[in-house]
Amino acid sequence: GNSVTQMEGPVTLSEEAFLTINCTYTATGYPSLFWYVQYPGEGLQLLLKATKADDKGSNKGFEATYRKETTSFHLEKGSVQVSDSAVYFCALSPYNFNKFYFGSGTKLNVKP
Amino acid sequence: DTGVSQDPRHKITKRGQNVTFRCDPISEHNRLYWYRQTLGQGPEFLTYFQNEAQLEKSRLLSDRFSAERPKGSFSTLEIQRTEQGDSAMYLCASSLARSASGKGGGLSYEQYFGPGTRLTVT
């Protein structure tokens, strides 16, 4: 079956710290992988994606690499800002994109 | 592009009442999805449409739930005889089915989410 497991939060960091949020997945076939972000009071927004093994998705200083051998898609950012405080969701979509499977979300708090 | 919109944003209802939510997708998008999100959890898939055809329904979607997309544009999600366990955020998303450009081929369907309708059943 298909599923996504994320590290539990909340994660609390100081501004300019390095961020890693772990995500591993189980999938049949060759899924695409996504990170979505949900800011307080707002809807889910696509942050980045990778559609095949070894692809690196990047956006707004965030990066994640699709690792087929470790079934992982960890989210990283070199220097977080207070404005990055949000809930981050890892997701996968099977090859035919009929649905997304989401992790439970990781809340990030960045302190000034 | 005005994004995905949902109406209402909040709904409080008494147990046993029926409720209906509306979703307006991005205008050129041919796929529309409904998800449910409870506190502290990620969204869970409920159902999806390609144009007006409902192609898949989750087992989460009991017979009290029905969704329609009559003209392949907006969609409605109705919950009959609401129960307290139905309290959740109901999310709508849309996407455009297209082929990815460039080498590697494959399909690329980014889903764009609306702000959600928060349902509270008392």
Side-chain angles (χ1 to χ4, degrees):
Chain A
N2 296 294
S3 67
V4 174
T5 303
Q6 282 181 243
M7 64 185 287
E8 290 190 13
V11 173
T12 301
L13 296 173
S14 297
E15 207 165 21
E16 299 183 2
F18 184 85
L19 169 71
T20 299
I21 300 178
N22 290 338
C23 170
T24 57
Y25 68 90
T26 302
T28 53
Y30 303 96
S32 290
L33 301 174
F34 302 80
W35 277 98
Y36 277 81
V37 59
Q38 189 170 35
Y39 297 103
E42 297 185 15
L44 286 162
Q45 300 175 25
L46 177 66
L47 181 59
L48 54 83
K49 66 176 182 181
T51 57
K52 60 184 187 297
D54 300 324
D55 268 2
K56 177 185 281 188
S58 62
N59 186 27
K60 300 181 182 178
F62 290 90
E63 293 183 340
T65 301
Y66 187 165
R67 301 285 188 202
K68 187 166 180 279
E69 63 277 11
T70 54
T71 62
S72 65
F73 193 55
H74 305 320
L75 182 68
E76 296 181 336
K77 187 175 185 183
S79 176
V80 293
Q81 306 299 312
V82 172
S83 58
D84 294 327
S85 297
V87 181
Y88 292 81
F89 293 93
C90 184
L92 74 82
S93 188
Y95 73 96
N96 58 353
F97 291 88
N98 58 341
K99 69 185 74 165
F100 276 22
Y101 296 85
F102 284 87
S104 57
T106 303
K107 186 172 183 179
L108 172 64
N109 295 317
V110 180
K111 296 184 174 179
Chain B
D1 179 359
T2 57
V4 179
S5 61
Q6 293 186 244
D7 183 69
R9 294 290 303 275
H10 304 274
K11 179 71 177 178
I12 300 174
T13 190
K14 293 185 177 179
R15 189 177 52 190
Q17 298 295 305
N18 299 344
V19 294
T20 300
F21 310 141
R22 177 178 170 126
C23 170
D24 287 88
I26 293 172
S27 58
E28 66 269 25
H29 284 185
N30 52 5
R31 285 196 173 183
L32 187 147
Y33 308 78
W34 285 98
Y35 292 83
R36 181 170 66 189
Q37 185 179 19
T38 54
L39 198 62
Q41 298 299 315
E44 294 176 293
F45 171 80
L46 293 178
T47 187
Y48 94 100
F49 294 83
Q50 175 137 341
N51 301 312
E52 65 276 7
Q54 188 173 19
L55 296 186
E56 186 169 344
K57 294 195 293 186
S58 163
R59 289 175 223 172
L60 293 175
L61 214 63
S62 76
D63 56 5
R64 295 185 298 105
F65 288 70
S66 62
E68 294 183 345
R69 193 183 184 199
K71 297 181 181 178
S73 57
F74 73 92
S75 175
T76 57
L77 178 67
E78 181 183 16
I79 309 175
Q80 296 182 327
R81 306 181 303 281
T82 52
E83 301 172 356
Q84 288 187 322
D86 297 332
S87 295
M89 178 77 85
Y90 290 84
L91 299 172
C92 176
S94 69
S95 70
L96 175 63
R98 56 180 164 83
S99 297
S101 58
K103 58 182 176 181
L107 305 172
S108 178
Y109 300 106
E110 300 171 16
Q111 292 192 13
Y112 295 83
F113 282 80
T117 295
R118 182 169 296 284
L119 173 66
T120 303
V121 181
T122 62

